[in-house]
Amino acid sequence: MTLLDAAGLQTIYGSGCSECLTTTGDHAGTNQCEHCGSVVACANADLRVESGEVLGIVGESGSGKSSLAETLALERDPEATVAGEVAYAGHDGNLLDVDYQTRHALRTGEIAFVHQHIRDGLELEFTGGGNVAEKLLAAGWRSYEAVRERVRELFEATEIPPARMDDPTRTYSGGMQRRVQIARALATDPELVILDEPTTGLDVSVQARVLDMFRRVQREENVAAVVVSHDLGVVRLLADRTLVMRHGRIVESGLTDRIMEDPHHEYTQTLINSVL
Amino acid sequence: MTVLTVDGLTKTFDMHVLGDTQVVGLDDVSFAVQEGEFLAVVGESGSGKSSLLKCLYRTYDPTAGRIVYHNGDDKIDLASCGDRSMMALRDDAIGYTSQFLDEIPRVPAVDVVARPLVERGTPTEDARRQARELLAALHVPEELWAAYPATFSGGERQRVNLAQAVAPKPELLLLDEPTSALDPETRNAAIDLLESYLGAETTVVGVFHNTDVVQRVADRVVVLADGSLNEVIPIAEYDGTHTSPEADSNEPLGEANGRRDR
């Protein structure tokens, strides 16, 4: 079943002009419009996510992958002009045009976002349990006991010692904070989780454990995911299909093993050959 | 009944990093495989054997030609079908293993083998029991079953890989040198397993370097040379061209250095 079907997604920072799309992109070698100076963070992006599927998005810094992820997560950046169509199973119309209430309901229900920067996703002064509970309360949970029980369950699922539930999140290690973010994202049984650079700021061994945990939970819950990373290893570990972005455009897409073993685009070949 | 019809299969690689050099992997290869048939693919290193299997599994995108897979009454062209159709076929019908284990890290060997069974709905404990039986049949030492294959020897990894590929009894099994790093005794155990575990209806296309193995398991032999199909010969007429009586030990050493075999 198709969960999300996006077409013509576009994010522009700046005033924008009629030349923006022709002067930027892979062929132009830049994402900045030479006429008006606007940055075309992403454009002409089409993608589809099936239920339970993991889609990877790779590309270097500034390729537009985070902008694309933020659009899909219904984040709204007042600086950006976003256009395009996002159809989502069970909803009529364009998800990018929904009213405040629907957007709130989606973001506390079906679609969860794991921010690249932990500070954007968590209140570090709150307890770890409080950060997860907040999401449940926003989704309408009211029973203290039920919330507590669900938080404990999520701590166990994401391999955080439940004994640390009532400690301030700032006292957690980086890996644990990332797990709290994932626990929070999964709290209301979403259908789609969008992870932006899930390994940022983590040691390699911690990265591996967090990704293993996410992979296990993703499969157990059969939740679909969009995983954005500059690291091919992350995408290789998690994604069924992968998109490659450069200068704000999707330059290649396909089965992840095909992208890794038979990269077509010049940039993808360079990327594969750059793996440490 | 025909299971697979390969027609005009061509694969070229545009190597942009080498100044847009074009490398021909396969050139206009055509053959058909019948249900239950065991087809051996032989040829010198670089003749296109691995490329052929990777095209059939769509790890490589074919450049031209058709690969028609007969799925019951349905026919689907593996060379041009959508990614999701291919994913579904990989889940349900087509298995693949290569000489290099490409498994998810930090998963115990027994779970590597059990995974495709669990994904097809077998309860985890049943799948693990079956996985242990397969590992035992392939002489993988019991103390390794709970360990991560990343630390295994080449031959041990190869057997874990083979066990995983055969476990769900796919309709079409693609084997890329599944026994290249095995000693003769273990290799025999692997061949015994292929014969006893897989049903008569399982179709196999396998790359092999060893004459004995080919003569024992194959029904017909596809001979590749420089990416082209040289001939398809019935096993009774196969004289050991491009395979060696006991030369496998030379071949995998070169390839174990990470060179891709096209």
Side-chain angles (χ1 to χ4, degrees), chain B residues 12-253:
Chain B
T12 55
F13 300 89
D14 293 314
M15 314 287 274
H16 297 292
V17 285
L18 298 177
D20 290 339
T21 312
Q22 199 171 64
V23 176
V24 177
L26 293 169
D27 183 17
D28 195 19
V29 171
S30 303
F31 61 91
V33 194
Q34 305 304 310
E35 183 179 3
E37 190 173 27
F38 199 122
L39 195 71
V41 181
V42 304
E44 290 174 9
S45 282
S47 60
K49 308 183 295 294
S50 291
S51 290
L52 172 61
L53 259 58
K54 285 183 177 178
C55 282
L56 300 184
Y57 198 61
R58 264 284 282 284
T59 295
Y60 287 174
D61 246 351
T63 310
R66 283 157 32 100
I67 303 167
V68 179
Y69 179 67
H70 304 251
N71 193 10
D73 288 336
D74 276 351
K75 290 183 185 175
I76 180 160
D77 181 7
L78 306 182
S80 64
C81 70
D83 290 339
R84 290 187 182 79
S85 304
M86 197 64 220
M87 280 163 62
L89 282 170
R90 287 178 177 189
D91 284 345
D92 298 336
I94 305 180
Y96 171 85
T97 183
S98 85
Q99 52 195 328
F100 307 114
L101 187 74
D102 203 16
E103 230 336 288
I104 300 295
R106 300 172 300 279
V107 177
V110 66
D111 288 339
V112 168
V113 179
R115 186 165 64 91
L117 295 168
V118 172
E119 285 176 358
R120 285 165 173 80
T122 307
T124 306
E125 276 317 307
D126 291 351
R128 286 199 176 125
R129 194 176 57 243
Q130 252 178 287
R132 286 190 285 267
E133 284 169 15
L134 286 166
L135 290 169
L138 289 171
H139 302 182
V140 177
E142 191 170 345
E143 59 269 27
L144 294 181
W145 296 356
Y148 303 152
T151 60
F152 290 9
S153 75
E156 288 158 356
R157 288 167 136 192
Q158 200 165 37
R159 281 175 278 162
V160 172
N161 213 2
L162 180 62
Q164 186 200 39
V166 301
K169 302 186 181 178
E171 288 159 28
L172 173 62
L173 182 57
L174 308 170
L175 302 173
D176 191 355
E177 303 206 34
T179 59
S180 61
L182 305 184
D183 59 58
E185 192 191 334
T186 321
R187 190 164 62 218
N188 275 330
I191 300 305
D192 287 344
L193 179 75
L194 287 179
E195 289 182 330
S196 63
Y197 183 80
L198 299 175
E201 68 285 359
T202 305
T203 308
V204 184
V205 179
V207 173
F208 294 97
H209 271 116
N210 183 276
T211 314
D212 290 347
V213 173
V214 171
Q215 284 178 333
R216 194 172 146 197
V217 298
D219 299 309
R220 285 189 303 153
V221 181
V222 164
V223 184
L224 290 177
D226 290 331
S228 296
L229 183 72
N230 234 8
E231 52 183 341
V232 183
I233 43 183
I235 193 61
E237 294 165 25
Y238 179 63
D239 62 0
T241 312
H242 298 304
T243 56
S244 328
E246 200 50 71
D248 274 359
S249 51
N250 297 326
E251 187 59 35
L253 278 179

Side-chain angles (χ1 to χ4, degrees), chain A residues 86-231:
Chain A
V86 178
Y88 193 86
H91 285 266
D92 293 331
N94 186 351
L95 232 54
L96 299 183
D97 298 334
V98 294
D99 58 28
Y100 174 82
Q101 273 186 327
T102 312
R103 175 169 171 263
H104 177 78
L106 281 163
R107 282 158 50 91
T108 52
E110 289 103 312
I111 302 177
F113 186 45
V114 175
H115 283 270
Q116 173 175 2
H117 301 293
I118 287 164
R119 280 169 193 283
D120 293 336
L122 297 178
E123 281 292 346
L124 295 184
E125 292 305 317
F126 287 12
T127 65
N131 268 297
V132 179
E134 192 199 14
K135 175 88 176 279
L136 294 168
L137 296 174
W141 288 50
R142 287 296 173 258
S143 149
Y144 176 83
E145 281 308 317
V147 167
R148 213 47 213 167
E149 182 49 38
R150 177 66 180 147
V151 171
R152 177 176 296 277
E153 201 176 281
L154 288 158
F155 266 52
E156 279 165 5
T158 52
E159 298 157 16
I160 317 168
R164 298 290 307 274
M165 251 168 79
D166 298 322
D167 296 343
T169 309
R170 66 178 151 73
T171 67
Y172 289 15
S173 69
M176 276 170 65
Q177 291 178 350
R178 187 64 79 189
R179 288 170 197 275
V180 173
Q181 266 190 297
I182 293 172
R184 181 182 156 93
L186 296 170
T188 50
D189 285 325
E191 294 165 335
L192 175 64
V193 179
I194 293 155
L195 298 103
D196 190 6
E197 299 280 5
T199 54
T200 298
L202 304 181
D203 294 341
V204 174
S205 61
V206 178
Q207 286 181 12
R209 288 203 297 276
V210 169
L211 294 177
D212 287 349
M213 178 277 289
F214 181 75
R215 188 169 168 280
R216 176 180 56 73
V217 177
Q218 183 271 325
R219 282 169 179 248
E220 282 171 8
E221 307 289 324
N222 197 35
V223 55
V226 174
V227 181
V228 171
S229 184
H230 67 282
D231 184 344

